[in-house]
PDB file of all heavy atoms in Angstrom:
ATOM      1  N   GLY A   5       9.766 -14.513  -5.721  1.00  0.00           N
ATOM      2  CA  GLY A   5       8.915 -15.055  -6.778  1.00  0.00           C
ATOM      3  C   GLY A   5       9.403 -16.375  -7.263  1.00  0.00           C
ATOM      4  O   GLY A   5      10.491 -16.837  -6.933  1.00  0.00           O
ATOM      5  N   GLY A   6       8.569 -17.029  -8.089  1.00  0.00           N
ATOM      6  CA  GLY A   6       8.962 -18.302  -8.630  1.00  0.00           C
ATOM      7  C   GLY A   6       7.789 -19.050  -9.187  1.00  0.00           C
ATOM      8  O   GLY A   6       6.703 -18.468  -9.404  1.00  0.00           O
ATOM      9  N   LEU A   7       7.953 -20.337  -9.359  1.00  0.00           N
ATOM     10  CA  LEU A   7       6.906 -21.192  -9.901  1.00  0.00           C
ATOM     11  C   LEU A   7       6.270 -21.979  -8.775  1.00  0.00           C
ATOM     12  O   LEU A   7       6.951 -22.528  -7.885  1.00  0.00           O
ATOM     13  CB  LEU A   7       7.508 -22.156 -10.915  1.00  0.00           C
ATOM     14  CG  LEU A   7       6.612 -23.228 -11.526  1.00  0.00           C
ATOM     15  CD1 LEU A   7       5.503 -22.611 -12.336  1.00  0.00           C
ATOM     16  CD2 LEU A   7       7.414 -24.207 -12.334  1.00  0.00           C
ATOM     17  N   VAL A   8       4.940 -21.979  -8.737  1.00  0.00           N
ATOM     18  CA  VAL A   8       4.215 -22.637  -7.724  1.00  0.00           C
ATOM     19  C   VAL A   8       2.967 -23.256  -8.350  1.00  0.00           C
ATOM     20  O   VAL A   8       2.394 -22.752  -9.324  1.00  0.00           O
ATOM     21  CB  VAL A   8       3.869 -21.701  -6.558  1.00  0.00           C
ATOM     22  CG1 VAL A   8       2.895 -20.579  -7.051  1.00  0.00           C
ATOM     23  CG2 VAL A   8       3.233 -22.432  -5.386  1.00  0.00           C
ATOM     24  N   GLN A   9       2.554 -24.390  -7.821  1.00  0.00           N
ATOM     25  CA  GLN A   9       1.346 -25.062  -8.334  1.00  0.00           C
ATOM     26  C   GLN A   9       0.112 -24.338  -7.755  1.00  0.00           C
ATOM     27  O   GLN A   9       0.165 -23.678  -6.719  1.00  0.00           O
ATOM     28  CB  GLN A   9       1.285 -26.516  -7.878  1.00  0.00           C
ATOM     29  CG  GLN A   9       2.275 -27.404  -8.674  1.00  0.00           C
ATOM     30  CD  GLN A   9       2.080 -28.833  -8.377  1.00  0.00           C
ATOM     31  OE1 GLN A   9       1.573 -29.218  -7.291  1.00  0.00           O
ATOM     32  NE2 GLN A   9       2.464 -29.685  -9.330  1.00  0.00           N
ATOM     33  N   ALA A  10      -0.993 -24.426  -8.500  1.00  0.00           N
ATOM     34  CA  ALA A  10      -2.248 -23.885  -8.032  1.00  0.00           C
ATOM     35  C   ALA A  10      -2.569 -24.437  -6.675  1.00  0.00           C
ATOM     36  O   ALA A  10      -2.369 -25.608  -6.382  1.00  0.00           O
ATOM     37  CB  ALA A  10      -3.350 -24.239  -9.033  1.00  0.00           C
ATOM     38  N   GLY A  11      -3.029 -23.540  -5.803  1.00  0.00           N
ATOM     39  CA  GLY A  11      -3.308 -23.930  -4.439  1.00  0.00           C
ATOM     40  C   GLY A  11      -2.107 -23.759  -3.475  1.00  0.00           C
ATOM     41  O   GLY A  11      -2.289 -23.895  -2.285  1.00  0.00           O
ATOM     42  N   GLY A  12      -0.982 -23.461  -4.044  1.00  0.00           N
ATOM     43  CA  GLY A  12       0.248 -23.362  -3.218  1.00  0.00           C
ATOM     44  C   GLY A  12       0.421 -21.954  -2.686  1.00  0.00           C
ATOM     45  O   GLY A  12      -0.441 -21.105  -2.833  1.00  0.00           O
ATOM     46  N   SER A  13       1.551 -21.804  -2.025  1.00  0.00           N
ATOM     47  CA  SER A  13       1.842 -20.515  -1.330  1.00  0.00           C
ATOM     48  C   SER A  13       3.260 -20.022  -1.700  1.00  0.00           C
ATOM     49  O   SER A  13       4.136 -20.782  -2.062  1.00  0.00           O
ATOM     50  CB  SER A  13       1.785 -20.720   0.224  1.00  0.00           C
ATOM     51  OG  SER A  13       0.511 -21.174   0.655  1.00  0.00           O
ATOM     52  N   LEU A  14       3.363 -18.710  -1.571  1.00  0.00           N
ATOM     53  CA  LEU A  14       4.667 -18.021  -1.743  1.00  0.00           C
ATOM     54  C   LEU A  14       4.709 -16.818  -0.842  1.00  0.00           C
ATOM     55  O   LEU A  14       3.638 -16.252  -0.545  1.00  0.00           O
ATOM     56  CB  LEU A  14       4.801 -17.536  -3.192  1.00  0.00           C
ATOM     57  CG  LEU A  14       5.397 -18.475  -4.263  1.00  0.00           C
ATOM     58  CD1 LEU A  14       5.423 -17.770  -5.587  1.00  0.00           C
ATOM     59  CD2 LEU A  14       6.753 -19.011  -3.885  1.00  0.00           C
ATOM     60  N   ARG A  15       5.893 -16.456  -0.391  1.00  0.00           N
ATOM     61  CA  ARG A  15       6.038 -15.255   0.321  1.00  0.00           C
ATOM     62  C   ARG A  15       7.045 -14.361  -0.428  1.00  0.00           C
ATOM     63  O   ARG A  15       8.156 -14.745  -0.676  1.00  0.00           O
ATOM     64  CB  ARG A  15       6.564 -15.451   1.752  1.00  0.00           C
ATOM     65  CG  ARG A  15       6.561 -14.196   2.604  1.00  0.00           C
ATOM     66  CD  ARG A  15       6.997 -14.399   4.024  1.00  0.00           C
ATOM     67  NE  ARG A  15       8.445 -14.435   4.138  1.00  0.00           N
ATOM     68  CZ  ARG A  15       9.092 -14.121   5.248  1.00  0.00           C
ATOM     69  NH1 ARG A  15       8.404 -13.784   6.330  1.00  0.00           N
ATOM     70  NH2 ARG A  15      10.387 -14.208   5.283  1.00  0.00           N
ATOM     71  N   LEU A  16       6.533 -13.185  -0.762  1.00  0.00           N
ATOM     72  CA  LEU A  16       7.367 -12.177  -1.428  1.00  0.00           C
ATOM     73  C   LEU A  16       7.928 -11.216  -0.359  1.00  0.00           C
ATOM     74  O   LEU A  16       7.247 -10.902   0.600  1.00  0.00           O
ATOM     75  CB  LEU A  16       6.596 -11.409  -2.457  1.00  0.00           C
ATOM     76  CG  LEU A  16       5.882 -12.267  -3.561  1.00  0.00           C
ATOM     77  CD1 LEU A  16       5.199 -11.304  -4.523  1.00  0.00           C
ATOM     78  CD2 LEU A  16       6.825 -13.224  -4.203  1.00  0.00           C
ATOM     79  N   SER A  17       9.105 -10.738  -0.621  1.00  0.00           N
ATOM     80  CA  SER A  17       9.738  -9.739   0.275  1.00  0.00           C
ATOM     81  C   SER A  17      10.091  -8.509  -0.578  1.00  0.00           C
ATOM     82  O   SER A  17      10.337  -8.621  -1.756  1.00  0.00           O
ATOM     83  CB  SER A  17      10.982 -10.297   0.913  1.00  0.00           C
ATOM     84  OG  SER A  17      10.772 -11.426   1.654  1.00  0.00           O
ATOM     85  N   CYS A  18      10.044  -7.356   0.093  1.00  0.00           N
ATOM     86  CA  CYS A  18      10.473  -6.103  -0.507  1.00  0.00           C
ATOM     87  C   CYS A  18      11.308  -5.374   0.474  1.00  0.00           C
ATOM     88  O   CYS A  18      10.840  -4.907   1.518  1.00  0.00           O
ATOM     89  CB  CYS A  18       9.268  -5.308  -0.915  1.00  0.00           C
ATOM     90  SG  CYS A  18       9.640  -3.643  -1.491  1.00  0.00           S
ATOM     91  N   ALA A  19      12.591  -5.253   0.183  1.00  0.00           N
ATOM     92  CA  ALA A  19      13.558  -4.555   1.016  1.00  0.00           C
ATOM     93  C   ALA A  19      13.831  -3.189   0.490  1.00  0.00           C
ATOM     94  O   ALA A  19      14.137  -2.995  -0.680  1.00  0.00           O
ATOM     95  CB  ALA A  19      14.835  -5.351   1.140  1.00  0.00           C
ATOM     96  N   ALA A  20      13.722  -2.243   1.365  1.00  0.00           N
ATOM     97  CA  ALA A  20      14.005  -0.820   1.037  1.00  0.00           C
ATOM     98  C   ALA A  20      15.361  -0.403   1.490  1.00  0.00           C
ATOM     99  O   ALA A  20      15.790  -0.790   2.585  1.00  0.00           O
ATOM    100  CB  ALA A  20      12.977   0.066   1.628  1.00  0.00           C
ATOM    101  N   SER A  21      16.016   0.315   0.670  1.00  0.00           N
ATOM    102  CA  SER A  21      17.292   0.895   1.078  1.00  0.00           C
ATOM    103  C   SER A  21      17.358   2.363   0.701  1.00  0.00           C
ATOM    104  O   SER A  21      16.685   2.782  -0.212  1.00  0.00           O
ATOM    105  CB  SER A  21      18.464   0.132   0.353  1.00  0.00           C
ATOM    106  OG  SER A  21      18.367   0.278  -1.005  1.00  0.00           O
ATOM    107  N   GLY A  22      18.147   3.099   1.470  1.00  0.00           N
ATOM    108  CA  GLY A  22      18.267   4.552   1.152  1.00  0.00           C
ATOM    109  C   GLY A  22      17.321   5.393   1.859  1.00  0.00           C
ATOM    110  O   GLY A  22      17.444   6.633   1.866  1.00  0.00           O
ATOM    111  N   ARG A  23      16.267   4.770   2.440  1.00  0.00           N
ATOM    112  CA  ARG A  23      15.285   5.508   3.176  1.00  0.00           C
ATOM    113  C   ARG A  23      14.431   4.548   4.024  1.00  0.00           C
ATOM    114  O   ARG A  23      14.131   3.496   3.542  1.00  0.00           O
ATOM    115  CB  ARG A  23      14.347   6.238   2.183  1.00  0.00           C
ATOM    116  CG  ARG A  23      13.365   7.177   2.838  1.00  0.00           C
ATOM    117  CD  ARG A  23      12.752   8.142   1.823  1.00  0.00           C
ATOM    118  NE  ARG A  23      11.883   9.102   2.453  1.00  0.00           N
ATOM    119  CZ  ARG A  23      11.258  10.051   1.810  1.00  0.00           C
ATOM    120  NH1 ARG A  23      11.395  10.164   0.488  1.00  0.00           N
ATOM    121  NH2 ARG A  23      10.443  10.917   2.427  1.00  0.00           N
ATOM    122  N   THR A  24      14.100   4.953   5.226  1.00  0.00           N
ATOM    123  CA  THR A  24      13.279   4.116   6.042  1.00  0.00           C
ATOM    124  C   THR A  24      11.839   4.311   5.670  1.00  0.00           C
ATOM    125  O   THR A  24      11.400   5.432   5.294  1.00  0.00           O
ATOM    126  CB  THR A  24      13.452   4.446   7.543  1.00  0.00           C
ATOM    127  OG1 THR A  24      12.647   3.607   8.323  1.00  0.00           O
ATOM    128  CG2 THR A  24      13.136   5.903   7.823  1.00  0.00           C
ATOM    129  N   PHE A  25      11.047   3.246   5.649  1.00  0.00           N
ATOM    130  CA  PHE A  25       9.664   3.343   5.223  1.00  0.00           C
ATOM    131  C   PHE A  25       8.676   3.351   6.448  1.00  0.00           C
ATOM    132  O   PHE A  25       7.499   3.242   6.263  1.00  0.00           O
ATOM    133  CB  PHE A  25       9.260   2.288   4.218  1.00  0.00           C
ATOM    134  CG  PHE A  25       9.286   0.860   4.735  1.00  0.00           C
ATOM    135  CD1 PHE A  25       8.724   0.454   5.913  1.00  0.00           C
ATOM    136  CD2 PHE A  25       9.911  -0.127   3.920  1.00  0.00           C
ATOM    137  CE1 PHE A  25       8.753  -0.853   6.344  1.00  0.00           C
ATOM    138  CE2 PHE A  25       9.920  -1.430   4.337  1.00  0.00           C
ATOM    139  CZ  PHE A  25       9.335  -1.807   5.520  1.00  0.00           C
ATOM    140  N   ARG A  26       9.218   3.490   7.627  1.00  0.00           N
ATOM    141  CA  ARG A  26       8.473   3.402   8.855  1.00  0.00           C
ATOM    142  C   ARG A  26       7.158   4.259   8.799  1.00  0.00           C
ATOM    143  O   ARG A  26       6.131   3.829   9.279  1.00  0.00           O
ATOM    144  CB  ARG A  26       9.296   3.759  10.019  1.00  0.00           C
ATOM    145  CG  ARG A  26       8.591   3.681  11.392  1.00  0.00           C
ATOM    146  CD  ARG A  26       9.415   4.308  12.464  1.00  0.00           C
ATOM    147  NE  ARG A  26      10.836   3.936  12.385  1.00  0.00           N
ATOM    148  CZ  ARG A  26      11.316   2.865  12.979  1.00  0.00           C
ATOM    149  NH1 ARG A  26      10.569   2.064  13.739  1.00  0.00           N
ATOM    150  NH2 ARG A  26      12.619   2.598  12.879  1.00  0.00           N
ATOM    151  N   ASP A  27       7.265   5.433   8.244  1.00  0.00           N
ATOM    152  CA  ASP A  27       6.202   6.380   8.314  1.00  0.00           C
ATOM    153  C   ASP A  27       5.412   6.479   7.026  1.00  0.00           C
ATOM    154  O   ASP A  27       4.663   7.478   6.834  1.00  0.00           O
ATOM    155  CB  ASP A  27       6.712   7.723   8.727  1.00  0.00           C
ATOM    156  CG  ASP A  27       7.283   7.759  10.116  1.00  0.00           C
ATOM    157  OD1 ASP A  27       6.570   7.358  11.046  1.00  0.00           O
ATOM    158  OD2 ASP A  27       8.478   8.139  10.252  1.00  0.00           O
ATOM    159  N   TYR A  28       5.545   5.520   6.155  1.00  0.00           N
ATOM    160  CA  TYR A  28       4.955   5.600   4.837  1.00  0.00           C
ATOM    161  C   TYR A  28       4.192   4.345   4.416  1.00  0.00           C
ATOM    162  O   TYR A  28       4.483   3.274   4.911  1.00  0.00           O
ATOM    163  CB  TYR A  28       6.017   5.915   3.777  1.00  0.00           C
ATOM    164  CG  TYR A  28       6.772   7.202   4.090  1.00  0.00           C
ATOM    165  CD1 TYR A  28       7.928   7.148   4.833  1.00  0.00           C
ATOM    166  CD2 TYR A  28       6.252   8.403   3.727  1.00  0.00           C
ATOM    167  CE1 TYR A  28       8.617   8.370   5.158  1.00  0.00           C
ATOM    168  CE2 TYR A  28       6.890   9.600   4.057  1.00  0.00           C
ATOM    169  CZ  TYR A  28       8.092   9.589   4.769  1.00  0.00           C
ATOM    170  OH  TYR A  28       8.720  10.707   5.100  1.00  0.00           O
ATOM    171  N   THR A  29       3.254   4.530   3.497  1.00  0.00           N
ATOM    172  CA  THR A  29       2.477   3.463   2.998  1.00  0.00           C
ATOM    173  C   THR A  29       3.338   2.613   1.998  1.00  0.00           C
ATOM    174  O   THR A  29       3.993   3.184   1.126  1.00  0.00           O
ATOM    175  CB  THR A  29       1.235   3.942   2.290  1.00  0.00           C
ATOM    176  OG1 THR A  29       0.397   4.631   3.256  1.00  0.00           O
ATOM    177  CG2 THR A  29       0.460   2.817   1.639  1.00  0.00           C
ATOM    178  N   MET A  30       3.199   1.335   2.110  1.00  0.00           N
ATOM    179  CA  MET A  30       3.835   0.388   1.192  1.00  0.00           C
ATOM    180  C   MET A  30       2.728  -0.386   0.494  1.00  0.00           C
ATOM    181  O   MET A  30       1.803  -0.880   1.175  1.00  0.00           O
ATOM    182  CB  MET A  30       4.804  -0.554   1.880  1.00  0.00           C
ATOM    183  CG  MET A  30       5.933   0.134   2.624  1.00  0.00           C
ATOM    184  SD  MET A  30       7.022   0.993   1.562  1.00  0.00           S
ATOM    185  CE  MET A  30       7.763  -0.345   0.639  1.00  0.00           C
ATOM    186  N   GLY A  31       2.842  -0.508  -0.820  1.00  0.00           N
ATOM    187  CA  GLY A  31       1.827  -1.271  -1.526  1.00  0.00           C
ATOM    188  C   GLY A  31       2.404  -2.416  -2.370  1.00  0.00           C
ATOM    189  O   GLY A  31       3.615  -2.394  -2.685  1.00  0.00           O
ATOM    190  N   TRP A  32       1.545  -3.350  -2.670  1.00  0.00           N
ATOM    191  CA  TRP A  32       1.862  -4.444  -3.556  1.00  0.00           C
ATOM    192  C   TRP A  32       0.928  -4.409  -4.760  1.00  0.00           C
ATOM    193  O   TRP A  32      -0.296  -4.240  -4.576  1.00  0.00           O
ATOM    194  CB  TRP A  32       1.780  -5.812  -2.870  1.00  0.00           C
ATOM    195  CG  TRP A  32       2.930  -6.090  -1.960  1.00  0.00           C
ATOM    196  CD1 TRP A  32       2.962  -5.972  -0.605  1.00  0.00           C
ATOM    197  CD2 TRP A  32       4.126  -6.723  -2.317  1.00  0.00           C
ATOM    198  NE1 TRP A  32       4.155  -6.366  -0.102  1.00  0.00           N
ATOM    199  CE2 TRP A  32       4.950  -6.844  -1.137  1.00  0.00           C
ATOM    200  CE3 TRP A  32       4.739  -7.078  -3.531  1.00  0.00           C
ATOM    201  CZ2 TRP A  32       6.238  -7.363  -1.115  1.00  0.00           C
ATOM    202  CZ3 TRP A  32       6.028  -7.609  -3.558  1.00  0.00           C
ATOM    203  CH2 TRP A  32       6.726  -7.755  -2.293  1.00  0.00           C
ATOM    204  N   PHE A  33       1.514  -4.483  -5.933  1.00  0.00           N
ATOM    205  CA  PHE A  33       0.744  -4.510  -7.183  1.00  0.00           C
ATOM    206  C   PHE A  33       1.167  -5.720  -8.007  1.00  0.00           C
ATOM    207  O   PHE A  33       2.210  -6.317  -7.740  1.00  0.00           O
ATOM    208  CB  PHE A  33       0.979  -3.197  -7.947  1.00  0.00           C
ATOM    209  CG  PHE A  33       0.449  -1.999  -7.330  1.00  0.00           C
ATOM    210  CD1 PHE A  33       1.114  -1.392  -6.234  1.00  0.00           C
ATOM    211  CD2 PHE A  33      -0.739  -1.425  -7.773  1.00  0.00           C
ATOM    212  CE1 PHE A  33       0.611  -0.257  -5.634  1.00  0.00           C
ATOM    213  CE2 PHE A  33      -1.285  -0.252  -7.169  1.00  0.00           C
ATOM    214  CZ  PHE A  33      -0.565   0.320  -6.122  1.00  0.00           C
ATOM    215  N   ARG A  34       0.434  -6.023  -9.017  1.00  0.00           N
ATOM    216  CA  ARG A  34       0.793  -7.067  -9.940  1.00  0.00           C
ATOM    217  C   ARG A  34       0.351  -6.664 -11.359  1.00  0.00           C
ATOM    218  O   ARG A  34      -0.626  -5.931 -11.535  1.00  0.00           O
ATOM    219  CB  ARG A  34       0.206  -8.424  -9.564  1.00  0.00           C
ATOM    220  CG  ARG A  34      -1.287  -8.453  -9.565  1.00  0.00           C
ATOM    221  CD  ARG A  34      -1.750  -9.811  -8.968  1.00  0.00           C
ATOM    222  NE  ARG A  34      -3.259  -9.883  -8.960  1.00  0.00           N
ATOM    223  CZ  ARG A  34      -3.890 -10.810  -8.257  1.00  0.00           C
ATOM    224  NH1 ARG A  34      -3.240 -11.725  -7.552  1.00  0.00           N
ATOM    225  NH2 ARG A  34      -5.240 -10.827  -8.300  1.00  0.00           N
ATOM    226  N   GLN A  35       1.078  -7.229 -12.305  1.00  0.00           N
ATOM    227  CA  GLN A  35       0.729  -6.936 -13.713  1.00  0.00           C
ATOM    228  C   GLN A  35       0.919  -8.210 -14.518  1.00  0.00           C
ATOM    229  O   GLN A  35       2.018  -8.758 -14.605  1.00  0.00           O
ATOM    230  CB  GLN A  35       1.579  -5.804 -14.251  1.00  0.00           C
ATOM    231  CG  GLN A  35       1.197  -5.385 -15.650  1.00  0.00           C
ATOM    232  CD  GLN A  35       1.834  -4.032 -16.018  1.00  0.00           C
ATOM    233  OE1 GLN A  35       2.777  -3.604 -15.462  1.00  0.00           O
ATOM    234  NE2 GLN A  35       1.231  -3.375 -16.974  1.00  0.00           N
ATOM    235  N   ALA A  36      -0.173  -8.672 -15.052  1.00  0.00           N
ATOM    236  CA  ALA A  36      -0.168  -9.848 -15.925  1.00  0.00           C
ATOM    237  C   ALA A  36       0.045  -9.407 -17.354  1.00  0.00           C
ATOM    238  O   ALA A  36      -0.198  -8.273 -17.689  1.00  0.00           O
ATOM    239  CB  ALA A  36      -1.465 -10.601 -15.797  1.00  0.00           C
ATOM    240  N   PRO A  37       0.590 -10.284 -18.197  1.00  0.00           N
ATOM    241  CA  PRO A  37       0.790  -9.888 -19.634  1.00  0.00           C
ATOM    242  C   PRO A  37      -0.463  -9.348 -20.284  1.00  0.00           C
ATOM    243  O   PRO A  37      -1.515  -9.953 -20.185  1.00  0.00           O
ATOM    244  CB  PRO A  37       1.220 -11.208 -20.239  1.00  0.00           C
ATOM    245  CG  PRO A  37       1.794 -12.017 -19.126  1.00  0.00           C
ATOM    246  CD  PRO A  37       1.022 -11.626 -17.935  1.00  0.00           C
ATOM    247  N   GLY A  38      -0.313  -8.196 -20.872  1.00  0.00           N
ATOM    248  CA  GLY A  38      -1.428  -7.629 -21.604  1.00  0.00           C
ATOM    249  C   GLY A  38      -2.443  -6.928 -20.718  1.00  0.00           C
ATOM    250  O   GLY A  38      -3.494  -6.477 -21.200  1.00  0.00           O
ATOM    251  N   LYS A  39      -2.192  -6.879 -19.425  1.00  0.00           N
ATOM    252  CA  LYS A  39      -3.158  -6.230 -18.514  1.00  0.00           C
ATOM    253  C   LYS A  39      -2.528  -5.059 -17.797  1.00  0.00           C
ATOM    254  O   LYS A  39      -1.286  -4.921 -17.725  1.00  0.00           O
ATOM    255  CB  LYS A  39      -3.644  -7.279 -17.521  1.00  0.00           C
ATOM    256  CG  LYS A  39      -4.445  -8.400 -18.145  1.00  0.00           C
ATOM    257  CD  LYS A  39      -5.117  -9.242 -17.095  1.00  0.00           C
ATOM    258  CE  LYS A  39      -6.006 -10.312 -17.733  1.00  0.00           C
ATOM    259  NZ  LYS A  39      -6.712 -11.162 -16.672  1.00  0.00           N
ATOM    260  N   GLU A  40      -3.397  -4.256 -17.229  1.00  0.00           N
ATOM    261  CA  GLU A  40      -2.903  -3.086 -16.447  1.00  0.00           C
ATOM    262  C   GLU A  40      -2.384  -3.585 -15.074  1.00  0.00           C
ATOM    263  O   GLU A  40      -2.789  -4.587 -14.549  1.00  0.00           O
ATOM    264  CB  GLU A  40      -4.005  -2.061 -16.300  1.00  0.00           C
ATOM    265  CG  GLU A  40      -4.437  -1.400 -17.564  1.00  0.00           C
ATOM    266  CD  GLU A  40      -5.419  -0.321 -17.386  1.00  0.00           C
ATOM    267  OE1 GLU A  40      -5.918  -0.128 -16.202  1.00  0.00           O
ATOM    268  OE2 GLU A  40      -5.784   0.407 -18.326  1.00  0.00           O
ATOM    269  N   ARG A  41      -1.511  -2.736 -14.537  1.00  0.00           N
ATOM    270  CA  ARG A  41      -1.077  -3.011 -13.189  1.00  0.00           C
ATOM    271  C   ARG A  41      -2.227  -2.804 -12.182  1.00  0.00           C
ATOM    272  O   ARG A  41      -2.948  -1.834 -12.273  1.00  0.00           O
ATOM    273  CB  ARG A  41       0.060  -2.035 -12.857  1.00  0.00           C
ATOM    274  CG  ARG A  41       0.825  -2.381 -11.629  1.00  0.00           C
ATOM    275  CD  ARG A  41       2.175  -1.619 -11.536  1.00  0.00           C
ATOM    276  NE  ARG A  41       3.042  -1.927 -12.667  1.00  0.00           N
ATOM    277  CZ  ARG A  41       4.315  -1.481 -12.746  1.00  0.00           C
ATOM    278  NH1 ARG A  41       4.836  -0.782 -11.759  1.00  0.00           N
ATOM    279  NH2 ARG A  41       5.038  -1.830 -13.794  1.00  0.00           N
TER     280      ARG A  41
END
């Protein structure tokens, strides 16, 4: 994460430890201030 200008790009990563996620669904969510996830 970080600061980016409108129109720009970012790549987020999510590393799992303690369990392999090979056989499971992974999701991405976001939550803005005052809003639901």
Side-chain angles (χ1 to χ4, degrees):
L7 175 64
V8 63
Q9 287 188 334
S13 299
L14 273 179
R15 189 178 81 155
L16 306 183
S17 300
C18 172
S21 62
R23 186 166 184 177
T24 180
F25 65 49
R26 182 191 314 272
D27 295 305
Y28 301 94
T29 297
M30 300 296 293
W32 283 97
F33 291 78
R34 64 189 178 192
Q35 188 165 19
K39 294 189 176 182
E40 292 186 353
R41 192 167 298 190

